Amino acid sequence: MVGRAMVTGAAGRIGRAVLALLAERGIEANALVLDDPGDLAARLVVTGDAADAKTVRAALEGADAVIHLAAIPTPARNTAFEVFAGNSLSTFTVLEEAGRAGIRHAAVASSWGVTGLPWTDAEDPHPPYAPVDESMASQVADPYGLSKQVDELTAQMMARRHGMSVVCLRYPYVGGFEERLHAHAARLTADPAAGARDLWTYLEVHDAARAALLALDVPGRAAHAVHLCAPEIIVPYPTEELLRRYHPTTVLRRPLPGRAAPVDTSAARRLLGFTARNLLGRGAVSSG
């Protein structure tokens, strides 16, 4: 049972949803952010870089679990050196300091980008098969995707080094319905090609937060990586039709009826007991 969680990137989209869910469940939170916006639902707010060990140690005060969300989320807005070095070092630092502090449960934001599909320079990158699972070979050719590969390797090492349970959550496109998902759905409905590299997947932000908290309950001394997404794609077209059109070389390993997501999330279901609840067009959002 988590008593207090330290959340990096706590002022971000998923971070704020995590803080809200922690508060709803009566779990105290420490927040680590680059700049304090002044409105975070946290017992302790520490400002600074998650790659700085002293800053991380201050943010870990009294915590017994870590949710590491801080990262440069794309290779497009920073130099390749900043993206790779910043993301990789912050994950190493957070997990190393957590392990030294005796913390044995951590969740780390990995990404769909670990597949390499979103930002590879290949003109038409295709997954070799669908539904995509965690064992699919990566096509990474960008510093962000590489940083997430390294994060997952770092998690494996830290699990061995400190006897930790670390879950790497491979998030897809995440957002709130009104905040960005409705607009994203409209954009991809008009131009399905724009969603082909992400396989038209998404996850509502409250579901993303719930997965992070579930990851803190995973027992043992091991690292895991799991894909997360809603069970249906974000566009109103049959999945198999989209795959035939935009990924003609992808082998279909099993039928994907209707708008079934072409990503296998069974590992998240087995490990975390997680299934996305909040789907576009399905009504009220559930955060608990």
Side-chain angles (χ1 to χ4, degrees), residues 80-104:
F81 304 98
E82 290 168 339
V83 171
F84 176 74
N87 288 355
S88 302
L89 183 56
S90 66
T91 300
F92 183 95
T93 303
V94 168
L95 293 180
E96 173 70 358
E97 291 301 324
R100 287 184 175 186
I103 292 171
R104 295 297 177 259

Side-chain angles (χ1 to χ4, degrees), residues 121-260:
D121 288 335
E123 184 176 348
D124 291 306
H126 306 296
Y129 58 82
V132 169
D133 59 18
E134 291 79 10
S135 66
M136 189 187 80
S138 176
Q139 300 180 44
V140 162
D142 70 277
Y144 174 77
L146 180 60
S147 75
K148 291 303 169 182
Q149 283 187 307
V150 171
D151 284 355
E152 293 187 2
L153 287 172
T154 298
Q156 294 173 25
M157 186 277 285
M158 291 298 181
R160 293 188 293 267
R161 178 175 173 85
H162 296 296
M164 303 175 72
S165 169
V166 187
V167 180
C168 298
L169 303 162
R170 293 183 177 180
Y171 286 122
Y173 189 92
V174 174
F177 291 140
E178 299 302 326
E179 175 241 353
R180 72 196 306 225
L181 288 181
H182 285 307
H184 187 59
R187 184 166 59 250
L188 299 191
T189 297
D191 180 18
R197 287 176 177 241
D198 292 334
L199 300 188
W200 309 277
T201 58
Y202 73 97
L203 188 67
E204 195 274 332
V205 68
H206 293 90
D207 278 332
R210 184 166 55 86
L213 264 65
L214 286 169
L216 301 181
D217 292 331
V218 174
R221 302 157 58 96
H224 311 268
V226 296
H227 281 299
L228 304 171
C229 67
E232 298 176 348
I233 58 176
I234 202 167
V235 292
Y237 309 120
T239 301
E240 292 188 8
E241 179 181 302
L242 290 170
L243 289 173
R244 283 193 297 269
R245 180 175 180 183
Y246 296 104
H247 296 293
T249 62
T250 299
V251 174
L252 199 62
R253 287 187 163 180
R254 60 174 169 81
L256 293 167
R259 295 169 49 232

Side-chain angles (χ1 to χ4, degrees), residues 32-88:
L32 174 56
V33 290
L34 283 173
D35 299 291
D36 184 0
D39 64 348
L40 297 179
R43 175 188 175 278
L44 172 69
V45 177
V46 174
T47 59
D49 194 332
D52 178 72
K54 184 177 179 180
T55 300
V56 172
R57 284 196 294 273
L60 286 170
E61 178 188 332
D64 56 5
V66 166
I67 297 175
H68 175 48
L69 305 171
I72 298 171
T74 166
R77 296 194 293 269
N78 298 75
T79 69
F81 304 98
E82 290 168 339
V83 171
F84 176 74
N87 288 355
S88 302

Side-chain angles (χ1 to χ4, degrees), residues 2-30:
V2 175
R4 186 187 304 174
M6 194 274 274
V7 183
T8 73
R13 179 176 289 109
I14 301 174
R16 285 180 176 274
V18 165
L19 290 182
L21 187 53
L22 288 170
E24 180 182 313
R25 296 188 178 181
I27 301 171
E28 291 186 336
N30 294 352

